Amino acid sequence: MIVTIDGPAGAGKSTIAKLLAVELDFQFLDTGAMYRVLTWDAQTAGLDLSATDRLTAHCLVRPMEMRAGHLYLAGRLVGPEIRTPDVARDIHFVADNPVIRQHLVNLQRRWVDDQNFVSEGRDQGTIAFPQAFCKFFLTASPETRARRRQAQLQQQGVDSVFEEILAAQLERDRRDQSRPTGRLLKALDAITIETDTLAITEVVARLKHIALARRPGPQSDSSC
Ligand code: DC
């Protein structure tokens, strides 16, 4: 059974999806980390990310695995190094690439298979798992989301300027909404949750309530 959580950057998806997975006793998949780590890896390898063919060839052969709920690239555990403004700035080279996207969606489907997962990203309810029994679209105003991103960076010891975060986020929103495949889109059957005025615990409680109410029983078809 799959619950999908999509939405723009900074809507709280990762935190909420992780907590919801614990509440439901499901596994958690952070698909943004997959795009981030390939971007970080290409930067670290010194690739020119605008050289599409070279970037594609590189990304397709880098072995990515999920082990015990943790993401690994080429045998190395993925950590906080992927959550920097540098990675966010260049991520569109990876996320706009339809061949890399298809590769990552294939991996997501293989990992999730027929297990219980909360999967979050931009295209989880639309492209990766259209059969999910419960789909959420989390959103908040650009200012709220930028404030949250700034607090997150601060926790990681990274100083930032609010206006720069907001501008970078609006640019990511524009790119996320306009890429040719896998663009940020609310699935027709997704439930929108505005998180501006809600505490994380309130959002998680609301999502859990809805997911449990929709959870298919033993007799029913899980692709409702
Ligand atoms: O959720 P995040 O901020 O960690 O995602 C980083 C970027 O990855 C985001 O700007 C768009 C891209 N992304 C995507 O294109 N598709 C997904 N399923 C998840 C993330």
Side-chain angles (χ1 to χ4, degrees), residues 14-24 200-201 204:
S14 291
T15 309
I16 287 160
K18 214 177 290 179
L19 291 169
L20 180 65
V22 171
E23 288 289 327
L24 296 175
I200 286 172
T201 48
V204 174

Side-chain angles (χ1 to χ4, degrees), residues 132-152:
F133 80 96
C134 193
K135 302 180 186 179
F136 295 108
F137 192 82
L138 286 196
T139 189
S141 73
E143 290 75 16
T144 301
R145 294 187 283 118
R147 255 195 309 276
R148 288 176 185 164
R149 188 63 91 190
Q150 190 177 32
Q152 214 173 38

Side-chain angles (χ1 to χ4, degrees), residues 6-10 13-14 30-33 35-36 83 88 91 95-96 101 108 120-124 149 172 176 179 182:
D6 292 302
K13 297 186 304 293
S14 291
D30 169 4
T31 61
Y35 292 86
R36 284 177 180 275
R83 306 196 182 275
I91 211 157
D96 289 354
R101 289 202 76 84
Q108 290 154 18
E120 67 100 344
R122 303 291 185 284
D123 57 349
Q124 297 302 285
R149 188 63 91 190
R172 270 175 75 198
D176 282 354
R179 70 175 47 97

Side-chain angles (χ1 to χ4, degrees), residues 48 50 71 87 118 206:
D48 170 3
S50 67
L71 187 65
V87 169
V118 176
R206 195 174 289 191

Side-chain angles (χ1 to χ4, degrees), residues 46-146:
L47 290 192
D48 170 3
L49 276 79
S50 67
T52 307
D53 291 350
R54 177 85 185 84
L55 176 71
T56 307
H58 181 82
C59 290
L60 294 188
V61 297
R62 299 296 278 157
M64 202 184 284
E65 293 169 276
M66 263 279 266
R67 283 190 239 147
H70 297 288
L71 187 65
Y72 289 79
L73 188 74
R76 182 185 169 282
L77 179 64
V78 173
E81 69 283 352
I82 63 168
R83 306 196 182 275
T84 64
D86 277 355
V87 169
R89 184 201 60 226
D90 281 352
I91 211 157
H92 65 95
F93 290 112
V94 170
D96 289 354
N97 182 310
V99 179
I100 300 175
R101 289 202 76 84
Q102 187 59 54
H103 171 63
L104 293 185
V105 167
N106 291 345
L107 278 178
Q108 290 154 18
R109 289 178 180 156
R110 194 184 314 153
W111 292 342
V112 167
D113 195 19
D114 58 355
Q115 302 175 74
N116 293 334
F117 259 92
V118 176
S119 188
E120 67 100 344
R122 303 291 185 284
D123 57 349
Q124 297 302 285
T126 50
I127 306 271
F129 304 110
Q131 80 282 15
F133 80 96
C134 193
K135 302 180 186 179
F136 295 108
F137 192 82
L138 286 196
T139 189
S141 73
E143 290 75 16
T144 301
R145 294 187 283 118

Side-chain angles (χ1 to χ4, degrees), residues 155-182:
Q155 272 179 2
Q156 295 162 13
V158 180
D159 280 335
S160 57
V161 177
F162 176 77
E163 288 71 22
E164 286 174 10
I165 301 258
L166 181 61
Q169 188 164 262
L170 290 172
E171 174 58 14
R172 270 175 75 198
D173 285 356
R174 190 191 63 74
R175 286 188 182 276
D176 282 354
Q177 286 158 359
S178 60
R179 70 175 47 97
T181 49

